[in-house]
Amino acid sequence: ALAEKGVTVYQFDLAATDIGKLAIALVDAATIVIGTPTVHVGPHPLVFSAAHLANALHPKLKFASIIGSYGWNSKAIEQIAGLMLRLQSYGCHNINLVSPTHVVPQLLAAISIAACSGLRLPIVYNSGGYDSVPTLRLLDGVVDIYMPDMKYASADAALRYSNIPGYPQVNRAAVREMHRQVGDLLLDEHGIALRGLLVRHLILPNCLASSGEIIDFIAREISTSTYLNLMDQYRPEYLADQYPELNRRITAEEYREVLRLARQAGLNRLD
């Protein structure tokens, strides 16, 4: 695809390439992308060699990236089940699965093994909220706590700033399904979550996340008892300077306004 756009691309198989040719290409490279198969123990040794060579040559790069392709060995599911049980023995409050959508089948198998061996901790599904309803339905009766983001109410903003097509539609359907399964957040006498939905929303400068629309959706279509974490920690990083409207932190007034909108909508569990 890059070549079709007039970008010169050199591909190297690190297992067979001539190191001299690789070095010559690296010296003049504007961008380096290294792909590596990764199975638990870390990147392939040849990837370390290529990264070390690039560092030694100091090319005038604009971008560099290492992309990992993670695999599951024959014992991975049993190992994960064992890890869950060890976390329980350490006194952890839950098993927090972060961005787990792409490995749901393997996690279901691991949870089943762990449950048969005495796992009793709540399972937390911690995601960006861009989850398909069919996938979530596989988790019905397995996940105890859903912790999704609701990032954008505007499809245009989601596509412009995060390159996510159709985010609001997918996100809202996912949050509806999550709430259908587990309901509002239930805490024990110590304030530890046991079951339910907890929504996170990162406030962006200049109302770019359309926070008010997200709040209205939660209040109208989910529950006014939804536990909502309004996050004020946005800071401009990476390519934010390409978007002047996004290239600053939020103000105290912007945060207070979103908090006011949430209270006005009747949401009563704000963090």
Side-chain angles (χ1 to χ4, degrees):
L2 291 174
E4 293 173 357
K5 296 180 180 179
V7 178
T8 302
V9 178
Y10 297 99
Q11 293 180 310
F12 292 92
D13 178 354
L14 294 180
T17 194
D18 179 273
I19 194 70
K21 292 181 179 179
L22 176 61
I24 291 171
L26 286 173
V27 168
D28 296 323
T31 299
I32 298 174
V33 178
I34 303 175
T36 170
T38 307
V39 183
H40 296 298
V41 294
H44 193 283
L46 290 174
V47 171
F48 281 116
S49 297
H52 180 75
L53 177 62
N55 184 62
L57 293 172
H58 295 292
K60 296 179 180 180
L61 294 176
K62 292 183 178 180
F63 305 102
S65 177
I66 296 179
I67 302 174
S69 173
Y70 290 85
W72 293 75
N73 63 31
S74 59
K75 297 291 185 181
I77 290 172
E78 290 81 1
Q79 289 170 348
I80 291 172
L83 178 59
M84 292 177 180
L85 292 167
R86 285 199 297 277
L87 290 172
Q88 180 170 266
S89 72
Y90 297 157
C92 294
H93 296 305
N94 55 59
I95 303 296
N96 191 343
L97 308 174
V98 181
S99 301
T101 308
H102 60 298
V103 288
V104 161
Q106 294 89 342
L107 289 172
L108 284 171
I111 291 167
S112 177
I113 293 170
C116 290
S117 299
L119 181 68
R120 297 293 179 266
L121 292 180
I123 302 297
V124 181
Y125 189 92
N126 181 341
S127 81
Y130 195 61
D131 303 282
S132 74
V133 170
T135 297
L136 293 173
R137 286 178 178 161
L138 296 174
L139 301 167
D140 196 356
V142 177
V143 168
D144 301 283
I145 299 166
Y146 281 106
M147 192 161 63
D149 289 313
M150 294 196 75
K151 298 178 182 292
Y152 302 98
S154 163
D156 290 341
L159 191 60
R160 175 174 171 79
Y161 302 121
S162 296
N163 197 30
I164 311 175
Y167 180 84
Q169 180 179 2
V170 174
N171 180 235
R172 292 183 180 195
V175 172
R176 288 190 194 99
E177 175 62 19
M178 292 173 180
H179 187 260
R180 182 195 69 78
Q181 291 183 22
V182 297
D184 295 330
L185 191 66
L186 175 65
L187 308 176
D188 69 10
E189 64 272 19
H190 303 295
I192 304 299
L194 299 175
R195 180 178 175 81
L197 174 69
L198 185 159
V199 176
R200 297 169 304 201
H201 174 61
L202 180 66
I203 302 168
L204 296 180
N206 297 304
C207 300
L208 294 175
S210 302
S211 302
E213 291 183 44
I214 288 173
I215 287 167
D216 287 343
F217 167 78
I218 293 171
R220 290 194 323 268
E221 300 193 35
I222 305 301
S223 168
T224 54
S225 294
T226 300
Y227 197 104
L228 177 60
N229 179 206
L230 293 172
M231 301 182 290
D232 64 352
Q233 64 261 41
Y234 170 77
R235 63 183 185 187
E237 297 283 358
Y238 189 41
L239 301 178
D241 60 352
Q242 297 183 11
Y243 305 96
E245 70 276 16
L246 196 61
N247 196 27
R248 66 169 174 83
R249 303 197 66 157
I250 69 168
T251 65
E253 179 56 35
E254 285 174 321
Y255 178 77
R256 286 194 294 266
E257 174 61 14
V258 174
L259 195 61
R260 184 190 69 79
L261 291 172
R263 289 170 174 159
Q264 180 177 288
L267 297 179
N268 52 55
R269 302 178 74 186
L270 303 174
D271 184 8

